[in-house]
Amino acid sequence: MHTVAVLALDQVIPFDLSTPIEVFTRTRLPDGRPGYQIRVCAERPEVDAGAFTLRAPWGLDGLTGADTVIVPGTATPTAPLSPAVRDALRAAAQDGTRIASICTGTFPLAATGLLDGLRATTHWLAADLLAASHPAVEVDPDVLYVDNGRILTSAGAAAGLDLCLHMIRRDYGSAVAADAARLSVMPLEREGGQAQFIVHDYAPAPQGHALEPLLAWLQENLAAELTLADIASRAGMSTRTLMRRFREQTGTTPLQWLHRARIRQAQHLLETTDHSVERIGTQVGFGSPTAFRDRFRRTTGVSPRTYRRTFA
């Protein structure tokens, strides 16, 4: 089982603290086993969380042996980092532990020197301050998260969810990540300057809504050559009415939904089969390998072959 240590610093932002705890605690493997165990760690037993005080069951020794360490944001990002916390994070990195920050958690992570020479992000309101405070860090304020391999950073609030789901995909693959995403009620695809690896099975539309039968039919016919007129005919609507209702209920257009569903299926096939990229493109409804590769790269940020090397 993968162990995640969440480091609670003084003035920790409760939302940032709870995000990895909730997402990872609820993650289940295909056989029903939990995918993660969580350690909430702190330098001292009691942590000031602003509106309340929390007690951490683990000290800094909880970082030792963890597979992942997460540093949530704090309300005082420029507060000096204690030598004990700095040394504990550096030791974890030296041991090969994956270390991630959420929101302004990038500041204490940067204070360790672990981000020097690397690209990183944080809450957009704090990006200029991060760049000024840590000039050795390449700050990118326009993305949801940055994955440098063993060191990851995310922007504020909900971007922490994107980061956690990305790590679940890295650890256990797309099926487990998609289940975790559904529990978190995450949207199909987040905009934010960086393509998201996680493209969920369906657009965010609850069961029982008017388009549910149509979405199920689209999912079953990903390989077919479907036009907007074909989809409207199946729905028994004019194309204009379909466009309006589809956007109202899913937040996107029919063809965009279809493209993303095709890419989601392609991700699954790349992870679970040895089919060629060309064959997979045909299986999910793209008329040519070039069209498939272009769409896949636009959606995920990488080529199908790179994706397979990363997640297969």
Side-chain angles (χ1 to χ4, degrees), residues 3 19 24 48 57 60 70 104 122 131 136 215 222 234 241 273:
T3 299
T19 293
F24 289 120
D48 180 1
L60 294 178
I70 296 181
T104 55
T122 187
L215 298 185
L222 296 179
R234 175 70 186 190
T241 300
T273 74

Side-chain angles (χ1 to χ4, degrees), residues 150-168:
R150 282 292 175 185
I151 306 291
L152 303 90
T153 56
S154 78
L161 285 167
D162 294 282
L163 179 62
C164 290
L165 293 170
H166 173 65
M167 289 190 285
I168 293 170

